[in-house]
């Protein structure tokens, strides 16, 4: 017994000195392994947070390896077969699969209204179906955005009951069900609760009994108890001002998130979806992989718990995840019998980028066969003097998110500034066209003169176009801010904000959140960090309410007390 312990200790020490975990599966030439190692070189060493990669190809694990540490404090190395990561939103496809199992059992239908299974969900006047929830087309407000606005921290213990009580208080939707796509975690918490109530088991128990055990996913579970001990769990980290810090996660809810798994288990799961073992499973996977359709008949790239994202001419079905410092990505290519999973415990790891670089190595021949032509080169920048650049400066209204973008000159570059603080340099590639720098993808900003004035068009790498019209930004007068001061209460969140004028600024205060300044945009519209606030007046011209909008919440009412 003593000798066995000694040998294990020696092996552990050797792993620490090497800085990477031993391979659990290796079927590739040394040159290929070296190429993969170079992709993950930033994670090499025991003093770094880590990552694990696994590749499934032609019916087996073709490659898997761990890099860096699962626990930096103790220098415990990452392994691809045993280190368990929280994979955040990659969870959602498992939640949809659980719903489809119950549909196959005859216990429910994707077209059931959610109130049939969870009557506490408010009646918004139009039925919200399980199908709407599974495709992010329900119009419901996102749980995380609601909780944060209500004063919760994301490292608080958040249970399903907390989320259900919040849902129960909602009075409005962002839009009518089926009209739009807007990513919504709330829907998947409700789907998981539907599984629990329909099956008589907890969601964690149901998925263990009906999914993980039958598929032999021995290191996979849904984590719904923040005090539960999970052997070999990786802890998460982020970097602030070049200092590594722990990113604490205490979720006690599952469905939208909270799947714990390994890189190897994820690609085994992907193989199950790529190669369904029965007609029953084949029908379920076909439903999961089908593009969701809006009321107007259009699709938007979203399927059910997944997204269809073609990659270099190949069909890819994928989803990523991000909670605390955990990051994950699972991409599968059914037509090539291929899947790649990258999981990490470091917030800046970028697993989608890493995974697709690995895919490039393994799918090189397929990519060459299926690409329609060479990828066009990135357009070169052109010279433009500062006076010409200044002509594009100004403020542009982003109507979809009820906020603005600012263009201004700094150190010889135009800056694309987002309300809330983040910004990127843009460089000219034509008289009125600019490319966005420092983001690793080809995004183009174009300016045109139209009847209503100047319009800025943003085109993302996927071809989606956003138009933003210029407007005159007005600096707020501190003397006028007094009319906005007061207490604002949201019955839907059961929380209040105090607006006060301090040192010439209008500030928002909450008893659990940092003070945030409100910046006047135009009229009675302000930005509050990344959010937008529109103030409403009563017939006497007095401020009566504040309507707050975020990317996943629209016009949440705070009544002035």
């Amino acid at each position: 017994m003593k000798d066995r312990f000694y040998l294990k200790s020696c092996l552990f020490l050797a792993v620490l000195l090497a800085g990477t975990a031993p391979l659990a599966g290796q079927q590739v030439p040394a040159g290929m392994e070296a190429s993969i190692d170079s992709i993950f070189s930033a994670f090499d060493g025991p003093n770094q947070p880590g990552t694990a990669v696994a590749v499934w190809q032609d019916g087996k694990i073709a490659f898997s390896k761990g890099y860096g540490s699962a626990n930096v404090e103790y220098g415990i190395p990452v392994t691809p077969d045993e280190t368990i990561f929280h994979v955040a939103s990659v969870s959602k496809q498992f939640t949809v699969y659980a719903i489809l199992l119950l549909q196959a059992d005859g216990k429910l239908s994707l077209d059931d209204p959610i109130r049939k299974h969870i009557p506490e969900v408010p009646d918004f006047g139009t039925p919200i179906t399980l199908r709407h929830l599974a495709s992010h087309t329900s119009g419901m407000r996102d749980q995380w955005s609601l909780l944060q606005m209500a004063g919760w921290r994301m490292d608080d213990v958040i249970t399903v009951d907390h989320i259900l009580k919040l849902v129960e208080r909602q009075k409005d939707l962002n839009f009518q069900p089926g009209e739009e796509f807007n990513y919504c975690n709330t829907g998947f918490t409700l789907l998981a609760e539907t599984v629990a109530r329909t099956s008589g088991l907890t969601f964690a128990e149901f998925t263990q009994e009906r999914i993980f055990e039958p598929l032999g996913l021995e290191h996979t579970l849904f984590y719904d108890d923040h005090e539960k001990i999970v052997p070999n769990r990786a802890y998460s980290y982020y970097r602030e001002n070049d200092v590594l810090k722990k990113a604490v996660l205490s979720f006690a809810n599952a469905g939208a998130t909270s799947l714990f798994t390994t890189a190897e288990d994820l690609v085994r799961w992907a193989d199950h979806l790529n190669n369904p073992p029965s007609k029953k499973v084949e029908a379920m996977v076909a439903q999961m992989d089908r593009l969701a359709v809006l009321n107007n008949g259009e699709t938007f790239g979203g399927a059910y718990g997944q997204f269809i994202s073609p990659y270099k001419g190949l069909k890819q079905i994928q989803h990523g995840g991000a909670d605390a410092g955990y990051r994950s990505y699972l991409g599968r290519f059914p037509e090539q019998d291929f899947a790649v999973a990258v999981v990490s415990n470091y917030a800046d790891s970028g697993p989608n980028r890493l995974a697709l670089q690995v895919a490039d190595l393994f799918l090189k021949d397929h990519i060459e066969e299926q690409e329609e032509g060479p990828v066009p080169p990135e357009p070169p920048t052109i010279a433009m003097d500062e006076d010409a650049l200044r002509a594009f400066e100004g403020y542009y209204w982003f109507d979809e998110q009820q906020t603005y973008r600012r263009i201004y000159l700094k150190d010889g570059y135009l800056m694309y500034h987002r309300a809330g603080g983040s910004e990127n340099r843009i460089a000219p590639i034509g008289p009125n066209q600019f490319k966005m720098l420092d983001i690793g993808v080809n995004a183009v900003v174009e300016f045109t003169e139209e009847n209503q004035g100047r319009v800025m068009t943003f085109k993302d790498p996927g071809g989606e176009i956003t138009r933003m019209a210029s407007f005159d930004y007005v600096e707020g007068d501190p003397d006028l801010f007094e009319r906005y001061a007061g207490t604002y209460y949201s019955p839907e969140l059961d929380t209040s904000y105090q607006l006060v004028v301090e040192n010439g600024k209008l500030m928002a205060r909450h008893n659990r959140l940092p003070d945030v300044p409100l910046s006047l945009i135009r009229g009675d519209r302000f930005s509050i960090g990344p959010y937008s606030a529109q103030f409403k007046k009563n017939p006497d011209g007095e401020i009566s309410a504040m309507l707050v909008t975020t990317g996943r919440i629209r016009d949440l009412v705070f009544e002035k007390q």
Side-chain angles (χ1 to χ4, degrees):
M1 187 72 174
K2 183 177 179 180
D3 289 343
R4 186 181 304 164
F5 177 80
Y6 174 76
L7 289 172
K8 286 186 176 180
S9 300
C10 291
L11 176 60
F12 181 73
L13 179 61
V15 167
L16 286 181
L17 292 174
T20 55
L23 274 65
Q26 180 181 352
Q27 310 282 337
V28 299
M32 173 82 83
E33 182 185 353
S35 296
I36 297 172
D37 286 347
S38 69
I39 293 171
F40 293 91
S41 60
F43 303 93
D44 197 10
N47 298 320
Q48 300 289 334
T51 188
V53 56
V55 171
W56 188 279
Q57 190 174 41
D58 299 330
K60 61 183 181 296
I61 291 178
F63 181 87
S64 65
K65 196 168 185 176
Y67 303 83
S69 290
N71 186 300
V72 173
E73 291 92 328
Y74 293 96
I76 298 172
V78 168
T79 67
D81 57 335
E82 292 187 345
T83 302
I84 294 175
F85 291 82
H86 171 107
V87 295
S89 289
V90 174
S91 308
K92 290 179 170 67
Q93 58 197 275
F94 292 83
T95 304
V96 171
Y97 190 91
I99 285 285
L100 292 174
L101 279 172
L102 289 171
Q103 179 173 263
D105 292 344
K107 301 288 182 64
L108 53 72
S109 166
L110 266 182
D111 295 311
D112 286 346
I114 183 59
R115 282 174 49 80
K116 175 179 179 180
H117 303 283
I118 307 179
E120 306 97 290
V121 175
D123 183 355
F124 295 106
T126 304
I128 297 171
T129 67
L130 305 187
R131 186 182 299 277
H132 289 135
L133 298 174
S135 58
H136 301 285
T137 60
S138 68
M140 296 191 74
R141 294 162 171 164
D142 187 77
Q143 62 192 39
W144 305 133
S145 298
L146 290 171
L147 286 162
Q148 287 177 308
M149 202 179 295
W152 292 70
R153 290 167 46 123
M154 287 299 97
D155 56 0
D156 285 335
V157 175
I158 300 172
T159 67
V160 173
D161 284 343
H162 291 140
I163 296 169
L164 290 178
K165 287 179 180 178
L166 190 61
V167 168
E168 195 173 349
R169 300 179 72 95
Q170 297 306 296
K171 297 180 179 179
D172 292 299
L173 299 171
N174 288 331
F175 50 82
Q176 288 297 297
E179 288 295 308
E180 301 179 31
F181 161 80
N182 193 297
Y183 196 91
C184 182
N185 288 283
T186 312
F188 288 81
T189 298
L190 295 176
L191 290 174
E193 181 66 9
T194 298
V195 170
R197 295 189 185 188
T198 304
S199 68
L201 303 170
T202 69
F203 181 65
E205 290 169 342
F206 179 87
T207 50
Q208 188 66 34
E209 180 179 306
R210 296 291 301 273
I211 303 176
F212 307 142
E213 287 182 3
L215 297 183
L217 306 182
E218 298 179 358
H219 302 289
T220 301
L221 70 152
F222 268 108
Y223 190 77
D224 60 357
D225 176 0
H226 68 287
E227 295 179 325
K228 182 182 178 67
I229 293 173
V230 178
N232 300 318
R233 172 171 56 167
Y235 285 78
S236 74
Y237 303 91
Y238 71 104
R239 200 171 292 278
E240 183 178 76
N241 299 323
D242 208 32
V243 175
L244 193 64
K245 294 187 174 184
K246 293 186 292 186
V248 178
L249 188 66
S250 302
F251 286 172
N253 63 83
T257 184
S258 297
L259 183 75
F260 277 28
T261 189
T262 65
E264 289 197 1
D265 270 8
L266 273 181
V267 294
R268 290 188 180 96
W269 161 253
D271 174 59
H272 176 71
L273 300 182
N274 283 347
N275 299 286
S278 67
K279 292 293 185 181
K280 171 185 171 181
V281 175
E282 185 177 356
M284 291 167 53
V285 174
Q287 173 62 76
M288 288 177 64
D289 293 352
R290 187 176 302 143
L291 284 170
V293 179
L294 299 175
N295 294 342
N296 62 7
E298 293 182 359
T299 60
F300 50 88
Y304 294 85
Q306 311 168 102
F307 292 92
I308 311 300
S309 304
Y311 180 70
K312 295 186 176 181
L314 306 182
K315 180 181 180 180
Q316 181 196 198
I317 304 171
Q318 59 80 22
H319 209 300
D323 278 332
Y326 296 107
R327 299 292 183 267
S328 56
Y329 187 85
L330 175 62
R332 57 187 181 90
F333 297 75
E335 294 169 2
Q336 287 72 41
D337 192 14
F338 179 84
V340 57
V342 173
V343 289
S344 178
N345 60 345
Y346 181 49
D348 293 332
S349 56
N352 57 327
R353 172 180 53 84
L354 298 170
L356 293 176
Q357 287 182 66
V358 173
D360 286 341
L361 296 174
F362 282 87
L363 298 177
K364 182 176 182 296
D365 292 341
H366 297 281
I367 290 170
E368 289 178 349
E369 290 171 6
Q370 297 193 24
E371 281 186 336
E372 296 179 359
V375 176
E378 190 173 339
T381 60
I382 63 173
M384 189 176 288
D385 63 43
E386 291 195 354
D387 287 340
L389 291 172
R390 283 195 182 92
F392 299 101
E393 288 186 316
Y395 289 80
Y396 298 82
W397 184 246
F398 190 178
D399 193 60
E400 180 181 336
Q401 295 186 7
Q402 294 292 289
T403 187
Y404 69 90
R405 299 290 184 258
R406 179 190 174 198
I407 303 297
Y408 73 99
L409 188 66
K410 176 183 176 183
D411 299 331
Y413 284 94
L414 284 181
M415 305 300 295
Y416 182 94
H417 180 89
R418 305 165 186 86
S422 68
E423 60 185 19
N424 287 92
R425 300 179 300 161
I426 58 175
I429 56 175
N432 301 301
Q433 282 190 322
F434 295 77
K435 69 177 180 181
M436 190 166 288
L437 305 179
D438 310 319
I439 62 172
V441 294
N442 296 328
V444 175
V445 177
E446 184 174 8
F447 298 89
T448 56
E449 296 293 335
E450 301 185 10
N451 291 336
Q452 69 270 34
R454 178 176 293 158
V455 171
M456 178 173 70
T457 301
F458 178 87
K459 183 176 181 180
D460 69 19
E464 185 174 345
I465 294 175
T466 302
R467 291 167 51 85
M468 292 170 264
S470 63
F471 69 94
D472 293 328
Y473 181 86
V474 180
E475 284 290 341
D477 183 347
D479 293 334
L480 296 178
F481 285 162
E482 290 292 347
R483 68 175 178 167
Y484 300 102
T487 300
Y488 293 80
Y489 173 74
S490 167
E492 294 174 273
L493 300 182
D494 191 21
T495 197
S496 296
Y497 282 81
Q498 291 284 128
L499 298 192
V500 299
V501 180
E502 187 177 85
N503 299 324
K505 294 183 177 180
L506 186 62
M507 304 291 293
R509 288 180 173 169
H510 188 279
N511 61 1
R512 289 206 71 202
L513 300 172
D515 293 355
V516 181
L518 279 76
S519 299
L520 181 63
I521 301 173
R522 58 180 183 180
D524 287 310
R525 192 179 297 278
F526 289 72
S527 64
I528 313 177
Y531 303 157
S532 163
Q534 171 75 57
F535 288 87
K536 295 295 184 183
K537 298 175 183 176
N538 62 23
D540 296 328
E542 299 171 331
I543 300 296
S544 59
M546 174 175 67
L547 278 61
V548 178
T549 294
T550 75
R552 297 178 183 176
I553 297 176
R554 299 179 190 173
D555 293 336
L556 183 69
V557 177
F558 287 78
E559 301 163 351
K560 191 173 184 185
Q561 303 299 289

